[in-house]
Every structure is written in structure tokens, then in C-alpha cells.
Amino acid sequence: MKYYIIAGEASGDLHGSNLMKALQNEDRNADFRFWGGDLMQSVGGTLVKHYKERQFMGFAEVILNLRKILGLIKFCKSDIDQYKPDVIIFIDNSGFNLRIAKWAKELDYKTHYYISPQVWASRAGRVEKIKRDIDAMYVILPFEKEFYDTYGYEVNFVGHPLIDAISDREQVDEMMFRKDNNLSEKPIIALLPGSRKQEITKMLGVMLSLVDDFTDYQFVIAGAPSQDFSFYKTFIKQDNVAFISNKTYDLLSVSTAALVTSGTATLETALFKVPQVVCYKANAISYQIAKRIITLKYISLVNLIMDREVVTELIQGDLNKKRLKKELITILDENERIKFFIDYYDLEKKLGGKGASENAARLIFQNIQDQKETK
């Protein structure tokens, strides 16, 4: 069968690549055409557009790049029409994907969604559009199924793909990792400032402001695959700072603590059992708009899944050197760290076991097969 997959950022590329591998196991004749990244491209098929070409964060950034976004939407529709897939699979990235889904459904394409848009966080009215335009939804957070149930929309909880991505990776030899990356023997504090330039610009300077106050630790920046070192270099003013690109999981596996930009990385850090402080600062206009439409008590996935404050969230004005230093001191305290480990294990139980990609692939393939047989 022919699969057209649309993913929009580094995490979507990771989950998309694992879904593609699982689909290949279900369907020996699987043919892929996709919007994604290097990981999806390594599986096979045709990469149409790399996610690096359309990374826009926040309302203001979207408005400023609206002409480019509309051009990409138009191109995507044309490309789908030429390819004529058996199914279109959307991965997160709601702003772009829901526009394509509306058009695709009107033309009777089969529309499946893997990793739900965060409609539970804001603009819940989008659920009606999802019910109208999406044939099948596969969710990865346990509370999402309950959320959709309240709207009379039946979805499939398949488990979280990060469980697979983390448990299936090769174990890291810490001594070799330190040697290969020119790291000292000091305990490591990982800095995860996000993957988009806007995020990194807002977050990294504040994170690095702590370096001279924690000289007994080695600070290491986790570089995103979408950004070059030359961009990060402009923020680094101290000697006790290292940079490692595209090895975030390896870095987390040997880290003592982490300062993490809100997003998927907060959950990844928790699954590696690393105590963390969650950081978030946006464009002032985007933040004011978000404040008015987001209805959640928390912004980090860790706290949302646990439905209580497990990790401290420093948002906008609270993300400053004084507060960040105080919270970092706290998570380095041994008694506090024990609480983190207990909470993190409970979190992992809530996410279910392994096999999210396989579960989703099996359901997608079977669904399309059944529809073909009933025609």
C-alpha cells in the first residue's frame, strides 16, 4: 500500500521513522512518501520536505511566515494528489496537518492521525473538526482517550513511543562517552534548550547564566540536529560548557540533572530518571495569546500525565537566574532526588508497556485492509 506521512519536527521524525519500520513489518509492499527528517529518510521512501524548512514557534512567528506556510500547504495538496496514497497519516503538527486533513477528507482520502494534536490544552472546539476529518486517531497519552470520550469520539490508546525509543537504544559506556566528547569527570548537568532557534534564543542564555555558580559540575548543551554549532556558539561565554549534537539520549543517560525546555524533552528526561527543572519563555505577544486560550494547570508532560506537580515549571518571567539557581540547587539535593525517582517510575507505569509503534501500525494496516475488502 501507499502511505503518505506528514511529520513536522524532530520528535515527529523519530516517531514517524519507528511507525514506518512497524508498517514495513505489517505490509511487505509498503511504499512511503513523507514530510519528515533524516530518521524517516533512513527507513526508505521519498522525502518530500524536511521539517527544518517549516519550523515556526508561536502565534507571532506563524503570522510573520504565513505566506510561506500557505505555499507549503498548497504544494502538499498537489503532491498528495499526484501520489494518490491509500492512506494519509498525520503525526502531531496540528496547525499544518488539520488544514490538509479537511481538504483530504473532502476528496475521500483515508485520514489517520498518530499522536493527537494537543486539543486538550487549548481550543477544544477543534475536536469537532477532528471528528469530521479524521477516520482514525491513535493517541499516546492515557488521559487523551478519556478526553476524547467526553466528546463522543472513540480513539485508540496505543502506548507511548518514547518507551520503545529509549528501551531499544544501545547502552552507553559512560567513560567512553566522556572521553569521546572531551568531557571532564565532573557530574553532568544537561541543558536542553529546545530545537527551534526561537526557543534556544529565549532559553539558553538563562540556563548558561548558572555555570559560574556550579563549578563542581560540567554543563553540557544538547544540540538539536536541526541547528549548527555556530548558532549555539554565540551564547557560550564560559569555559565549563561542552556541546554535543544529536546525542540527547546518550547525554541524558549519564546526566545528574537537567534544565529542560518544555515539550517532549521533559518526558524523555523523566524516562531517563533525571531530575529536572522545566523552562519556558516565549515571544511576549505569543505568550499573552497563549495565556488566554490554554486552560491547563501545567505545561510539562510530566505534570500533565501525573496530574500534579512533580517537576518545577519556570514560565516566562519566573525563568530568571535567581529562580533557576534555587531550583537547580533543590534537584541536586539527595533527598529531593529520591522523590523524583519514585515519581518517575509511577509515570512510566501510566504510559503502558512497549509497542506503541507496532500497535499503531497494526491498527492502521488492518483498518485500510478491512475498508478495501468491504468495497
Side-chain angles (χ1 to χ4, degrees):
M1 291 196 298
K2 296 165 72 174
Y3 302 86
Y4 199 99
I5 306 174
I6 309 176
E9 54 187 22
S11 61
D13 182 36
L14 169 64
H15 302 322
S17 67
N18 288 328
L19 179 65
M20 289 165 67
K21 292 173 188 174
L23 283 168
Q24 286 177 331
N25 291 333
E26 295 289 334
D27 180 3
R28 289 181 298 175
N29 298 313
D31 184 83
F32 300 114
R33 191 169 178 86
F34 55 90
W35 296 48
D38 299 340
L39 294 175
M40 293 174 74
Q41 191 169 25
S42 69
V43 179
T46 302
L47 174 63
V48 181
K49 291 284 184 182
H50 201 288
Y51 65 79
K52 292 179 184 179
E53 297 183 47
R54 52 194 186 97
Q55 288 191 303
F56 310 110
M57 185 187 78
F59 300 99
E61 289 77 16
V62 169
I63 292 171
L64 290 171
N65 290 278
L66 190 57
R67 178 174 292 184
K68 181 177 181 180
I69 294 169
L70 292 174
L72 288 169
I73 290 172
K74 182 179 179 181
F75 173 78
C76 183
K77 292 175 180 178
S78 174
D79 195 58
I80 291 171
D81 254 348
Q82 290 182 39
Y83 183 60
K84 300 195 183 312
D86 293 291
V87 60
I88 304 171
I89 303 172
F90 303 99
I91 300 178
D92 199 359
N93 194 39
S94 63
F96 189 89
N97 280 340
L98 289 179
R99 286 171 172 80
I100 300 296
K102 180 179 185 296
W103 165 85
K105 188 61 181 173
E106 289 172 351
L107 295 179
D108 205 30
Y109 285 107
K110 301 306 176 188
T111 54
H112 289 220
Y113 220 119
Y114 178 49
I115 305 180
S116 169
Q118 295 181 353
V119 289
W120 35 267
S122 65
R123 293 175 289 162
R126 289 178 293 170
V127 173
E128 296 305 319
K129 295 179 180 179
I130 290 172
K131 290 171 66 175
R132 179 192 68 202
D133 299 330
I134 302 300
D135 294 321
M137 172 71 76
Y138 310 95
V139 302
I140 62 173
L141 297 170
F143 62 79
E144 289 178 317
K145 183 168 176 57
E146 298 170 8
F147 169 82
Y148 278 114
D149 282 345
T150 64
Y151 287 87
Y153 184 52
E154 186 174 349
V155 303
N156 305 280
F157 173 60
V158 295
H160 204 293
L162 283 181
I163 300 291
D164 297 326
I166 291 172
S167 62
D168 292 344
R169 55 182 288 280
E170 291 185 14
Q171 296 300 308
V172 173
D173 182 305
E174 183 172 349
M175 290 184 63
M176 289 299 298
F177 180 79
R178 289 178 180 272
K179 181 180 178 182
D180 292 344
N181 293 285
N182 298 313
L183 301 179
S184 69
E185 295 181 357
K186 296 178 180 179
I188 292 172
I189 296 175
L191 306 182
L192 280 63
S195 60
R196 301 179 179 95
K197 284 188 175 180
Q198 298 101 316
E199 290 177 316
I200 298 165
T201 299
K202 294 286 185 184
M203 245 67 69
L204 188 54
V206 184
M207 293 176 175
L208 288 173
S209 70
L210 303 186
V211 171
D212 292 336
D213 295 324
F214 294 84
T215 54
D216 291 337
Y217 295 86
Q218 166 87 79
F219 285 74
V220 184
I221 300 169
S226 56
Q227 307 298 339
D228 296 326
F229 173 63
S230 58
F231 175 66
Y232 292 91
K233 191 176 180 180
T234 61
F235 299 93
I236 303 173
K237 311 298 181 186
Q238 306 94 331
D239 294 328
N240 189 29
V241 179
F243 175 85
I244 300 176
S245 182
N246 203 20
K247 295 181 182 177
T248 301
Y249 284 8
D250 291 349
L251 174 59
L252 286 173
S253 72
V254 299
S255 293
T256 296
L259 307 180
V260 187
T261 295
S262 179
T264 305
T266 63
L267 186 54
E268 291 171 319
T269 303
L271 291 174
F272 275 98
K273 311 301 186 293
V274 180
Q276 64 182 298
V277 181
V278 176
C279 307
Y280 181 78
K281 183 176 285 189
N283 172 287
I285 297 173
S286 297
Y287 176 69
Q288 288 303 321
I289 296 172
K291 265 184 70 174
R292 286 159 174 76
I293 65 173
I294 293 176
T295 57
L296 300 174
K297 290 188 293 184
Y298 308 108
I299 63 168
S300 69
L301 285 172
V302 176
N303 291 344
L304 286 168
I305 294 167
M306 296 296 285
D307 196 27
R308 59 186 175 85
E309 187 179 89
V310 172
V311 296
T312 297
E313 302 175 350
L314 298 181
I315 305 171
Q316 209 67 3
D318 288 335
L319 180 58
N320 56 65
K321 179 180 178 180
K322 182 178 179 180
R323 280 295 311 275
L324 192 57
K325 178 179 178 180
K326 176 177 178 291
E327 297 302 334
L328 180 54
I329 290 172
T330 298
I331 67 173
L332 291 172
D333 178 82
E334 285 303 319
N335 291 326
E336 290 296 323
R337 294 170 66 78
I338 292 172
K339 297 177 187 175
F340 273 102
F341 299 141
I342 294 171
D343 286 334
Y344 283 165
Y345 279 111
D346 289 342
L347 169 73
E348 192 166 347
K349 288 179 184 177
K350 283 180 176 284
L351 292 174
K354 294 178 62 177
S357 301
E358 288 77 9
N359 292 338
R362 183 176 63 255
L363 290 168
I364 291 169
F365 179 69
Q366 191 61 56
N367 187 300
I368 302 303
Q369 286 287 90
D370 290 346
Q371 288 180 342
K372 284 188 171 185
E373 291 174 3
T374 56
K375 282 187 176 181

